[in-house]
Amino acid sequence: MKKALIICAAGMSSSMMAKKTTDYFKAHSKDIQLDAVTATEGEDEIRNGDFDLFLISPQTNMYLDNFQKVGKEVGKPVVSVPFDAYIPIPMGIEKMAKLVEKNL
């Protein structure tokens, strides 16, 4: 199973996106799971977490450079999520899923 982590400001919208995108993958027979944490936990998760990909939410894009630097140090991809892939409607969920698959 591949695992991706959304790093967000408060974790509420990211938790919803993680669940809906994981459900999307299950419905399409893909073994990919998403989870979510707050930005304060982001660096530690990138360094020590058991994830294959880290997704930086639009609200926490100001931390992107630092998170990408940490990701490079530990050999893990860190990518920015565009606004249109961060909307909990079918179009946004599909775009999030495509972003995850492209970067895994």
Side-chain angles (χ1 to χ4, degrees), residues 11-89:
M12 292 190 301
S13 58
S14 58
S15 293
M16 182 188 324
M17 284 303 297
K19 181 183 179 337
K20 287 182 178 275
T21 307
T22 297
D23 291 346
Y24 174 91
F25 282 130
K26 284 181 186 174
H28 290 85
S29 302
K30 307 243 176 163
D31 202 13
I32 303 171
Q33 179 180 334
L34 273 71
D35 204 346
V37 296
T38 64
T40 56
E41 302 169 82
E43 185 173 335
D44 187 50
E45 285 294 337
I46 295 169
R47 287 192 189 283
N48 305 309
D50 184 29
F51 293 92
D52 303 294
L53 172 66
F54 297 90
L55 303 153
I56 309 306
S57 73
Q59 308 92 299
T60 54
N61 216 30
M62 70 282 254
Y63 303 115
L64 179 63
D65 290 341
N66 182 57
F67 287 150
Q68 284 181 326
K69 180 181 164 206
V70 174
K72 196 171 201 174
E73 289 173 13
V74 297
K76 295 182 180 179
V78 176
V79 299
S80 177
V81 176
F83 284 105
D84 65 347
Y86 205 71
I87 307 167
I89 60 172

